[in-house]
Structure formats: structure tokens, C-alpha cells
Amino acid sequence: MTSEDVLAVFKEAGALLEGHFILSSGRRSPVFLQKALVFSRPDLSEKLCKALAEKLTASFGKIDVVAGPAVGGIIPGYELARHLGARAIFAERVDGQLQFRRGFSIAAGERVLIAEDIVTTGLSFRETVEALAKLPGEVVGGACIIDRSGGRADVGCKLISLAQVNFPDYAPDDLPPELQKLEAIKPGSRGLA
Ligand SMILES: O=P(O)(O)OC[C@H]1O[C@H](OP(=O)(O)OP(=O)(O)O)[C@H](O)[C@@H]1O
Ligand SMILES: O=C(O)c1cc(=O)[nH]c(=O)[nH]1
Ligand SMILES: [Mg+2]
């Protein structure tokens, strides 16, 4: 699939939003990819993750465990694991820090792939790398559906994306006039109680 094909899937799901959004990193953007609307469609989730899994097998070989950060990484992590013949686990925030709970474990020597929905600054991805450093297993690389950084984000390991885009984002104190006029909304879960 090309990046245009992937954006067409987001459009089909009504997930390509325009307005004034507060991103997970605190940066602001006039564009938001509401992946939850895509992942609410099993047919679309399967199509995207099957195509991504094919790229991953070519780059990383066998994967034993797919690990995604909640909330956004859970469904693509599970669906990728299904196509890769791996198992899926997720990390969730406890007092702001990502932890693997719920009895999830990784055995020594297992090959681990980090799965994300969207990468913007790479912050959430790097936090997942840190959480995995406390567990056995070898992180062989990472995957995301859409890399909003156009390939520039440093995620702390090799990242394979299904699509790369270059949507603008801004520091909150450096907004263009058209964003200053719009009320900002924060769709993601970071920082929620
Ligand atoms: O590369 P970054 O700058 O970290 O941005 C991308 C992250 O932002 C979103 O998560 P968010 O924390 O908004 O919560 P969600 O997973 O519940 O959507 C998304 O799911 C990624 O995890
Ligand atoms: O950077 C983010 O927080 C982010 C951007 C985006 O387009 N979609 C999303 O779910 N998160
Ligand atoms: Mg997330």
C-alpha cells in the first residue's frame, strides 16, 4: 500500500480530522488522525496490518512478541501479531509511566517488535523501548501504521511504517493565526486520570 492508499483508508473511516488538536507531546496541529475510528472497523484494521506485517517479515524475520503502548497501540499490536504468528502484549500508564501489567511476560531470547498506531515525535515509542528494557527479550525493531514525522522521529530502534506523512505541528506558544482562532481539543489518553 502507498501512503496515499493508507490515508484513503483513514478518510473512508472518517478519521482524517481538521481543526485544532493538542497532540500527546503537547504540540498542536490542524490535522488529527483519529485511528480509533479506523480500528473500530475490523476489515480496515486487517487490511492495514496485513500489509504492514508483510513489510515487517521482510525486514525483521521471525517475531515472537508484539508489544504496543495503550491505548492506541493495543489493536494494531494484536492485529499485527495475528498476521505475524506472534503473541500480543501491551503497556499501560501507571502514574504516567508505561508498565507491562496483567501477567504479561517475555522469555529470555524472545524477539520483540514494538507496535504503534501513529508516531509524531517518537516520545511514546521511546517510552515503550524504556519499559521493555526492564524485561527479558530482544527488541528487534518497531512498526507503526502512520509516521507523521516523515521518517525524522528518533524512536530508539529501527522503525518500519506503512505510511509516512508530513502534517504540520507547532509549539503551543508559536501557533499560526488560523489555529489561534480555534478552540483546541485533546483526543488522546496521555495525562487523563
Ligand atoms: O510520537 P508521539 O509524539 O509520542 O505521538 C504519538 C502517540 O500519541 C498517541 O497516543 P496518546 O498518548 O495521544 O494516547 P492514545 O494512545 O490513547 O491515543 C498515539 O497513539 C501515539 O502513542
Ligand atoms: O501526536 C499525536 O498525539 C497523535 C497524532 C495523530 O494524528 N493521531 C493520534 O492519535 N495521535
Ligand atoms: Mg498512543
Side-chain angles (χ1 to χ4, degrees), residues 37-187:
L37 292 174
V38 175
F39 299 144
S40 73
R41 292 266 309 268
D43 57 332
L44 299 182
S45 307
E46 178 178 41
K47 182 175 174 178
L48 296 175
C49 291
K50 184 167 185 284
L52 182 53
E54 281 163 14
K55 289 177 83 168
L56 295 169
T57 301
S59 289
F60 297 130
K62 180 165 167 41
I63 299 294
D64 300 304
V65 181
V66 180
V71 175
I74 296 178
I75 293 177
Y78 177 89
E79 185 62 15
L80 281 174
R82 197 165 75 83
H83 291 284
L84 293 169
R87 66 183 193 281
I89 65 175
F90 61 84
E92 59 200 297
R93 292 193 188 278
V94 179
D95 296 331
Q97 305 295 310
L98 285 176
Q99 286 182 16
F100 290 91
R101 303 174 63 239
R102 303 174 191 264
F104 291 141
S105 64
I106 301 172
E110 283 195 306
R111 293 170 59 78
V112 182
L113 173 87
I114 299 177
E116 257 286 32
D117 47 359
I118 312 289
V119 166
T120 304
T121 65
L123 176 62
S124 311
F125 212 103
R126 292 192 298 276
E127 290 173 320
T128 312
V129 172
E130 267 176 45
L132 282 166
K134 298 179 184 130
L135 303 180
E138 179 201 355
V139 174
V140 296
C144 69
I145 304 292
I146 299 187
D147 176 359
R148 285 185 54 142
S149 81
R152 288 183 301 277
D154 171 14
V155 300
C157 62
K158 180 175 176 182
L159 176 68
I160 305 280
S161 60
L162 188 59
Q164 286 189 356
V165 296
N166 277 297
F167 295 141
D169 55 62
Y170 306 95
D173 60 358
D174 189 24
L175 296 181
E178 63 274 16
L179 279 197
Q180 287 177 20
K181 287 186 211 132
L182 298 174
E183 190 187 342
I185 60 165
K186 183 175 186 300

